[in-house]
Amino acid sequence: MHGDSLAVAQRSLGDPSIAYPLWPPMTRGCPATSTPEIAYPVEVDYAYDKVQAGLFDREIGPDLARWAPLLPPLHAPTLGEGGTPLVEIEGVFVKDESRNPTWSHKDRLNRCTVSGALGAGAPGIVAASSGNHGASAAAYAARAGLPCVILASADSPPAIGDFIRSYGAVVLPVPAAERRPLMRRIVDELGFHPVSNLSVTHTGHGFGPEGYKTIAYELHRQVGVPAAVFVPTGYGELIYGVWKGFTELRRLGITSATPRMFSCEPAAGGPLARALATGLPAVSVEVRESLAYAIDCPVNGYRGVVAVRDSGGGAVLSTDEEMAAAQRDLARRGLWHELSSAAALAGYRKLGERFDGPVVCVSTSSGFKDLGVGSTPTVPLDPSWPVVREVLRARGI
Amino acid sequence: MHGDSLAVAQRSLGDPSIAYPLWPPMTRGCPATSTPEIAYPVEVDYAYDKVQAGLFDREIGPDLARWAPLLPPLHAPTLGEGGTPLVEIEGVFVKDESRNPTWSHKDRLNRCTVSGALGAGAPGIVAASSGNHGASAAAYAARAGLPCVILASADSPPAIGDFIRSYGAVVLPVPAAERRPLMRRIVDELGFHPVSNLSVTHTGHGFGPEGYKTIAYELHRQVGVPAAVFVPTGYGELIYGVWKGFTELRRLGITSATPRMFSCEPAAGGPLARALATGLPAVSVEVRESLAYAIDCPVNGYRGVVAVRDSGGGAVLSTDEEMAAAQRDLARRGLWHELSSAAALAGYRKLGERFDGPVVCVSTSSGFKDLGVGSTPTVPLDPSWPVVREVLRARGI
């Protein structure tokens, strides 16, 4: 399975001339270029000259091993991630990532991070997350038979706690400020492999964004090269992964163009937009209240800067109200996705630009993940026909 | 899109020599064979001699139109249903139907029922459901631009109410006994098309189970002909659909064998098991308390009798505890599915029989649909290292 990988090294995004061995996976960014203020991620490099031409001709389907040559060695077994459909709504293509094993895009990332943990011989994994990432990491660890610890916050939706615990993970609800110190301690004292960020600005796991590249490979088969791709953006791993996939297709001569990449952040924060506006690789911002908790980050990762800048794209900020309107419109056409997912469509609308080619919005997860879902009690209705008829009439029926 | 269908008629399951025109879809069973005590469903018949040999050679993927020749005309647009992965766990293959557009198998059925409503020119659809079926019907109606009314019960999980309403459906929470009379009235007075049952024993919508056939077509490509298929069973539309798909593969000369079909009902009820034991086409039973609300039915449909009897299969009953154990074991290997889904694995274990060939458990939906999910409040943990270390030690870390 993992014998097919053409991965050869880890390479610094801070200085691409610096390469490190492929193992062990680097989980604190590039030591040579990072400073106390800015951390630069690493990525995986491949023997691109050995990629066989037929790789991109076969049908897509669930299991990232389909793309094994251009992924890190896949030591972790599959849960059937990827191969998600593209649904056209109002002339925009929605890439429905809620159709993954734990119903979010994070499964593509965690097939790769848990593979990293297994390849490194770690006795378990640890992550800080109160949402999609924690559940996905827990599921892939469970599938691989690896213990998993999730540092969650006490104010995440209770359904998400049930979700993560179901996979057998140990969930520790601790204050936000304690999460990173505890994660470091679990890494240092127990030897657990971290699958979320440990550095001052976001670098995360060097193998993770490789999984997201497969979205680009799939989009290429489904719709060709889009003119623009709108991506809900927290730390920028997703937008970078999709961008990297398109650059590889061009590098390999499969395509000649690449899409413009647009990062879609909540207006309540928006560190990537700020970093791009100021020309800095990463910045911290104050984060105001937002219900888009999955992407409401106080600091960006350098990966997002690379994706937006090198693709000639842009950064868009949307308010919670704009995201809620997009979320409602998606649901009224059959896709009930979380508020953070709707940041992509909200961003496309807010930008208001016309593109000469397909526009893709990446939708990350289902509506079940939102805060407040299930908190409205059901009020029984008087079942007499005049009452029912009046309720229907009020709704235009 | 729907021009490809080879559907030619509706045919009675009560007496297969009786055929009706294909339109309009029959939603109260076969009038010629049904009695005041037993209703017999109809199914769709095709010009099987016109099926082209290559149909079963192409890759599977999300969109039932892939199988259009052997489905009713697909007037309703796709949301990317079907093409779900098969995940091997403990030597058993789990068909993960949580990977559909509304995260349950019902999407296969509702692409077909909403197509029926559109083809019949109905001004809307109506269904009685407090779960997967209601949400799926609402989503396909929304996608097709058709108004939708869902008669729900007041004690269904509140998250399910949010789920169904998100698609713009009118949800009417009324007592169980009022649901069918109100549905008839909405059908009779407003001309809405019913997409759930209106008859004394279950017949449902004649087009619906056709969508489930595609599970058999996909399994055939994924694993060949299984020795046994275990199916969570409420009214028996799913088990019948899967069975019909395998009989068609044999009839068309694609395969020579068919699997044994096992219905998996909660021990709290189990009308199909009773019907099979007594040799009756359908029976009513008293239903005790069960958390497997999606399949806890007081009456069976004749379709389930046909599938189990003709396939040489059997009926298995599992307690809530047995289903909960199976659910936990699936989650501990990476699949968090609803309690009703776990009836299949629970049934396989309970039967305790060895099969000479692949065993498939159909898993219908995600763990988010269960009663009680999200009702456990999160208790913050003291983040000091000795406390955390002790918590981890207690969990074997």
Side-chain angles (χ1 to χ4, degrees):
Chain A
M1 167 175 66
H2 47 81
D4 294 338
S5 173
L6 297 172
V8 290
Q10 295 180 87
R11 193 168 288 283
S12 172
L13 260 73
D15 177 352
S17 72
I18 303 175
Y20 300 96
L22 184 62
W23 295 99
M26 296 169 75
T27 54
R28 297 178 197 212
C30 167
T33 55
S34 298
T35 68
E37 290 77 36
I38 302 287
Y40 288 95
V42 297
E43 63 177 336
V44 179
D45 195 10
Y46 300 85
Y48 287 105
D49 55 322
K50 298 202 177 111
V51 175
Q52 294 189 344
L55 177 64
F56 297 94
D57 294 341
R58 300 200 308 272
E59 286 298 319
I60 66 174
D63 185 349
L64 289 199
R66 155 81 184 77
W67 310 104
L70 288 173
L71 293 174
L74 295 174
H75 294 289
T78 188
L79 285 167
E81 61 289 332
T84 60
L86 198 63
V87 180
E88 190 176 354
I89 286 186
E90 288 186 44
V92 171
F93 292 97
V94 178
K95 181 70 169 163
D96 184 358
E97 290 293 296
S98 80
R99 310 284 291 280
N100 277 298
T102 71
W103 314 290
S104 92
H105 64 303
K106 292 284 184 181
D107 294 326
R108 299 185 193 254
L109 174 132
N110 282 308
R111 176 91 189 270
C112 296
T113 60
V114 174
S115 289
L118 287 166
I125 63 166
V126 57
S129 165
S130 303
N132 294 325
H133 177 46
S136 173
Y140 278 83
R143 175 74 166 155
L146 215 52
C148 175
V149 176
I150 302 294
L151 299 157
S153 69
D155 60 354
S156 67
I160 301 295
D162 291 332
F163 183 22
I164 301 176
R165 277 188 299 270
S166 75
Y167 298 115
V170 181
V171 178
L172 306 175
V174 294
E178 305 291 342
R179 289 159 73 179
R180 198 173 304 165
L182 273 176
M183 190 159 78
R184 279 186 183 272
R185 198 133 185 191
I186 291 169
V187 170
D188 292 342
E189 302 204 10
L190 308 179
F192 272 41
H193 193 78
V195 303
S196 54
N197 189 54
L198 278 172
S199 50
V200 56
T201 60
H202 189 277
T203 62
H205 193 292
F207 287 12
E210 301 299 312
Y212 292 141
K213 292 189 321 193
T214 58
I215 293 176
Y217 304 159
E218 293 177 12
L219 286 174
H220 167 248
R221 280 204 63 90
Q222 290 172 315
V223 78
V225 178
V229 182
F230 290 79
V231 184
T233 298
Y235 293 120
E237 293 175 290
L238 177 58
I239 193 171
Y240 179 76
V242 177
W243 169 242
K244 182 173 177 182
F246 279 113
T247 64
E248 289 178 327
L249 290 168
R250 185 179 53 185
R251 173 182 186 152
L252 292 165
I254 308 292
T255 62
S256 55
T258 51
R260 295 173 65 196
M261 305 294 301
F262 291 88
S263 63
C264 303
E265 295 174 286
L272 178 55
R274 177 85 61 85
L276 286 160
T278 54
L280 293 169
V283 300
S284 293
V285 297
E286 256 188 70
V287 177
R288 296 188 310 282
E289 197 75 11
S290 169
L291 293 173
Y293 70 92
I295 53 171
D296 197 15
C297 298
V299 64
N300 68 297
Y302 179 59
R303 291 187 182 95
V305 172
V306 174
V308 173
R309 185 191 63 200
D310 292 1
S311 74
V316 199
L317 300 176
S318 299
T319 64
D320 277 25
E321 292 68 32
E322 290 164 337
M323 288 187 275
Q327 181 186 36
R328 190 175 52 242
D329 292 346
L330 286 170
R332 295 298 158 85
R333 282 157 185 81
L335 298 179
W336 182 50
H337 290 182
E338 65 177 351
L339 188 66
S340 302
S341 285
L345 180 60
Y348 168 64
R349 288 174 169 182
K350 186 139 187 191
L351 189 71
E353 197 173 323
R354 287 196 170 271
F355 294 94
D356 190 22
V359 172
V360 172
C361 289
V362 179
S363 191
T364 47
S365 190
S366 88
F368 280 108
K369 314 284 182 78
D370 270 338
L371 288 156
V373 166
S375 61
T376 313
T378 305
V379 181
L381 180 76
D382 173 354
S384 71
W385 180 244
V387 171
V388 169
R389 190 68 196 87
E390 192 47 43
V391 169
L392 295 178
R393 201 169 276 127
R395 292 290 301 273
I397 291 171
Chain B
M1 167 176 64
H2 46 80
D4 293 339
S5 174
L6 297 173
V8 291
Q10 295 178 88
R11 193 168 288 283
S12 173
L13 260 72
D15 178 352
S17 73
I18 303 175
Y20 300 96
L22 184 62
W23 296 100
M26 296 169 75
T27 54
R28 296 178 196 213
C30 167
T33 55
S34 298
T35 68
E37 289 78 36
I38 301 286
Y40 288 95
V42 296
E43 63 176 336
V44 178
D45 196 9
Y46 300 85
Y48 287 105
D49 55 322
K50 298 202 176 111
V51 175
Q52 294 189 344
L55 178 63
F56 297 95
D57 294 340
R58 299 199 308 270
E59 287 299 317
I60 65 175
D63 185 350
L64 288 200
R66 154 85 187 73
W67 310 105
L70 288 174
L71 293 173
L74 294 174
H75 294 288
T78 187
L79 285 168
E81 63 288 332
T84 58
L86 198 62
V87 181
E88 191 175 354
I89 287 187
E90 287 186 45
V92 170
F93 292 97
V94 178
K95 182 70 169 163
D96 183 359
E97 290 293 296
S98 81
R99 311 283 292 278
N100 276 298
T102 71
W103 313 291
S104 92
H105 65 301
K106 290 285 184 181
D107 294 325
R108 299 186 193 253
L109 173 132
N110 282 307
R111 176 92 189 269
C112 295
T113 61
V114 174
S115 289
L118 288 166
I125 64 165
V126 56
S129 165
S130 303
N132 294 326
H133 178 45
S136 173
Y140 279 83
R143 174 76 166 152
L146 215 52
C148 175
V149 177
I150 302 294
L151 299 156
S153 69
D155 60 355
S156 67
I160 302 295
D162 291 332
F163 183 22
I164 301 176
R165 276 188 300 270
S166 75
Y167 298 114
V170 182
V171 178
L172 306 174
V174 295
E178 305 292 341
R179 288 160 73 179
R180 197 174 303 165
L182 274 176
M183 188 158 80
R184 280 185 182 272
R185 197 131 186 195
I186 290 169
V187 170
D188 292 342
E189 301 204 9
L190 308 179
F192 272 40
H193 192 79
V195 303
S196 53
N197 188 56
L198 277 171
S199 51
V200 57
T201 59
H202 190 277
T203 63
H205 193 290
F207 286 12
E210 301 299 312
Y212 293 141
K213 291 189 321 194
T214 58
I215 294 176
Y217 304 159
E218 293 177 12
L219 286 175
H220 167 249
R221 279 203 64 91
Q222 292 172 313
V223 79
V225 178
V229 182
F230 289 79
V231 185
T233 298
Y235 293 121
E237 292 175 290
L238 177 58
I239 192 171
Y240 179 76
V242 177
W243 168 242
K244 183 173 176 181
F246 280 112
T247 65
E248 289 177 328
L249 289 168
R250 185 178 54 185
R251 173 181 185 153
L252 292 164
I254 309 292
T255 60
S256 55
T258 51
R260 295 173 65 195
M261 305 294 301
F262 291 88
S263 62
C264 303
E265 297 175 285
L272 178 55
R274 178 84 62 84
L276 285 160
T278 55
L280 293 169
V283 300
S284 293
V285 296
E286 255 187 74
V287 177
R288 297 188 310 280
E289 197 76 10
S290 168
L291 292 174
Y293 70 93
I295 53 171
D296 196 15
C297 298
V299 63
N300 69 298
Y302 179 59
R303 291 187 182 95
V305 171
V306 174
V308 173
R309 186 192 62 201
D310 292 0
S311 73
V316 198
L317 301 176
S318 300
T319 64
D320 277 24
E321 291 69 31
E322 289 163 340
M323 289 186 275
Q327 180 185 35
R328 190 175 52 242
D329 291 346
L330 286 169
R332 295 298 159 85
R333 282 156 184 82
L335 298 178
W336 182 48
H337 289 181
E338 65 177 352
L339 188 66
S340 302
S341 285
L345 179 60
Y348 167 64
R349 289 173 168 183
K350 186 138 187 189
L351 189 70
E353 197 173 321
R354 287 196 170 269
F355 294 94
D356 189 21
V359 172
V360 172
C361 289
V362 180
S363 190
T364 46
S365 190
S366 88
F368 280 107
K369 315 285 182 76
D370 270 339
L371 289 156
V373 167
S375 62
T376 313
T378 305
V379 182
L381 181 75
D382 174 353
S384 69
W385 180 243
V387 172
V388 168
R389 189 69 198 85
E390 193 47 45
V391 169
L392 296 177
R393 202 168 276 126
R395 292 290 300 274
I397 291 172

